[in-house]
């Protein structure tokens, strides 16, 4: 990919022989972490990014905002993952250090906030500090959450902006300049209860209106990572409400952001432990039932972040990540281009990016090994419930150590990888009736500090059975119900249709 750079990166003193690296080599080797069996290769001092690079938010990838209980927990898991990599002096710490333009936690519930690593260790906040810095609906309620009422989540955050108030300027941790400097903004939240569901779309709208008010022709990309509940007992108890909230939350998010990455807690629970990255001290902060399922989610976002570590960090700093990088917007713009022209449609729905992450340990790679890796990623380790053969295409990233990527690179460049992914077992690229094509983008990266090869991907707008289940429930309620909930659904129905009319290949123009 950058053959002229290979020498710069891999020549020089053997890091294993450098005495100052002894300690960190010991710390990174022989751990139980299944995702990383590190070689002990460490950066030499001059290659380490300077604080100036890292403190400067400009051009860094994400501004992350965790909203509500789930969002706060997952933000914690990401910060603890970043710390884990740093403590072990792993080169990969640059992914988060270079990838985060900033982050903040918001909630209507002060005790949920109080329990976070973000509050306790990142900021050392007391309850009194949390109220101005992280609370939604300051002075408007008793800070005990929105309790399954998405309309309360919405009303509380709207109150924060009443009378031209601007909490970004006046009180929240989330600061205007860092939002402006980031390449993209990512919200992390759930949609089946009150806060994440109701408040996040308003927050997104307010960032557009109050912070990014410059009339740029191309708007800053907004993403939502949304967790969907397991369909277990609790879901059955609250099923009706969770489904209605889920539909309303997804629809409102679909209006407010450009792309939605759905994560399904049931799937996260059943992915193989091989894609569980090590996250030290997660048990001190994440509730026990979420500790394991948040790990593959963090691994997926880490790879997404790595896919566009800013160029300046690569060139001037570690050179640790080489290959194709793609901008955040590259993951959804090619899909929006495929949307049917429909002047009647109320809005352009967000692109659904269904997440997958596979891993393969092998000494050499050929076509059949890559088929196994694709099967592992697209079926065993998909992080949401969906049917790959109904997707409109996808963006993929193959990454691994230099020796292995050399072999794989040939297969990527000869079109073998796209051919595998296009086959009827996977994306079934020939199985479309419309005039639009199924596009498959395959990118590659060399990541010298990994032993295994990974296939990361997002599949565009596939059919998703759990969402259809929510949709069917809501539709029935709309047609037959005479409750207030049913009335609420009728009010937003014209917004619900556009999202669902873009899922599945039969809706492809
Ligand atoms: N994957 C994952 N899911 C979570 C986590 N915490 C909560 N959830 C899911 O999120 C949903 C609950 O939503 P919360 O985010 O706690 O609700 P909230 O936005 O705080 O809303 P209110 O409490 O009603 O104000 C449930 O479906 C949980 O399964 C987490 O750490 N990881
Ligand atoms: Mg809550």
């Amino acid at each position: 990919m950058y053959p002229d750079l290979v020498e710069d990166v891999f020549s020089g003193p053997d890091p294993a022989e450098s005495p100052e690296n002894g300690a960190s080599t010991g710390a990174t080797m022989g751990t139980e972490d299944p995702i990383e069996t590190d070689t002990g290769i460490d950066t030499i001092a001059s290659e380490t990014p300077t604080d100036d690079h890292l403190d400067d938010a400009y051009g860094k990838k994400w501004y992350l905002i965790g909203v509500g209980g789930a969002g706060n927990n997952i933000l914690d898991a990401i910060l603890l993952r970043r710390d884990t990599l740093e403590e072990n002096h792993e080169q990969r710490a640059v992914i988060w250090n270079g990838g985060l333009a900033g982050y903040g936690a918001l909630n209507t519930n002060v005790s949920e906030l109080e329990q976070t690593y973000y509050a306790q260790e990142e900021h050392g906040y007391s309850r009194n500090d949390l109220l101005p810095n992280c609370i939604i609906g300051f002075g408007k309620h008793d800070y005990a959450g929105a309790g399954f009422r998405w309309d309360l989540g919405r009303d509380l955050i709207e109150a924060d902006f009443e009378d031209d108030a601007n909490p970004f300027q006046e009180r929240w941790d989330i600061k205007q300049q860092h939002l402006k400097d980031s390449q993209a903004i990512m919200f992390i939240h759930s949609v089946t209860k009150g806060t994440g569901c109701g408040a996040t779309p308003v927050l997104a709208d307010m960032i557009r209106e109050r912070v990014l008010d410059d009339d740029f022709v191309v708007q800053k990309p907004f993403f939502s990572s949304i967790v969907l509940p397991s369909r277990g007992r609790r879901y059955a108890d609250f099923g009706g409400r969770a489904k209605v909230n889920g539909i309303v939350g997804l629809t409102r998010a679909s209006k407010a952001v450009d792309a939605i990455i759905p994560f399904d807690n049931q799937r996260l629970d059943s992915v193989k432990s091989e894609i569980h990255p090590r996250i030290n001290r997660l048990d001190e902060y994440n509730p026990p039932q979420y500790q394991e399922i948040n790990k593959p989610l963090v691994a997926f976002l880490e790879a997404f972040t790595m896919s566009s570590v800013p160029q300046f960090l690569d060139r001037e700093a570690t050179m640790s990540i080489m290959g194709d990088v793609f901008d955040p917007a590259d993951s959804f713009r090619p899909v929006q281009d495929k949307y049917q022209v429909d002047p009647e449609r109320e809005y352009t729905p967000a692109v659904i990016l269904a997440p997958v992450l596979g891993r393969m340990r092998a000494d050499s790679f050929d076509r059949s090994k890559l088929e196994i890796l694709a099967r592992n990623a697209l079926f065993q380790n998909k992080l949401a419930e969906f049917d790959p053969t109904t997707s409109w295409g996808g963006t993929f990233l193959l990454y691994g150590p230099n020796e292995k990527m050399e072999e794989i690179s040939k297969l990527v460049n000869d079109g073998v990888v796209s051919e595998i992914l296009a086959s009827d077992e996977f994306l079934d690229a020939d199985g479309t009736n419309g005039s639009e094509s199924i596009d498959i983008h395959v990118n590659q990266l060399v990541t010298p500090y990994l032993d295994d090869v990974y296939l990361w991907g997002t599949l565009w707008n596939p059919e998703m059975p759990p969402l259809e289940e929510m949709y069917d429930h809501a539709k029935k309620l709309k047609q037959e119900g005479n409750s207030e909930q049913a009335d609420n659904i009728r009010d937003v129905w014209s917004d619900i249709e556009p999202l669902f009319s873009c899922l599945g290949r039969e809706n492809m123009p």
Side-chain angles (χ1 to χ4, degrees), residues 67-75 77 106-109 112 144-150 153 156 188-200 226-230 234-235 242 245 263-265 268 286-287 289-291 293-294 297:
V67 187
N72 293 173
N73 289 341
I74 294 164
L75 178 62
L106 291 174
N107 207 330
T108 57
N109 184 325
E112 275 177 4
F148 277 100
R149 292 280 304 272
W150 71 265
L156 286 171
I188 307 175
H189 58 110
S190 63
V191 285
T192 42
K193 283 187 73 194
T195 304
C197 178
T200 314
I226 294 182
V227 292
L228 300 167
S230 292
R234 206 177 141 73
Y235 188 66
N245 284 3
F263 294 95
D264 188 318
N265 281 351
L268 291 173
N286 271 196
Q289 68 271 37
Y290 301 124
Q291 279 160 30
I293 67 174
N294 284 343
L297 197 162

Side-chain angles (χ1 to χ4, degrees), residues 380-401:
Q380 280 152 342
N381 285 339
K382 55 186 180 186
L383 308 182
E385 195 55 58
F386 67 96
D387 177 359
T389 62
T390 63
S391 71
W392 296 20
T395 307
F396 298 90
L397 178 68
L398 270 157
Y399 60 96

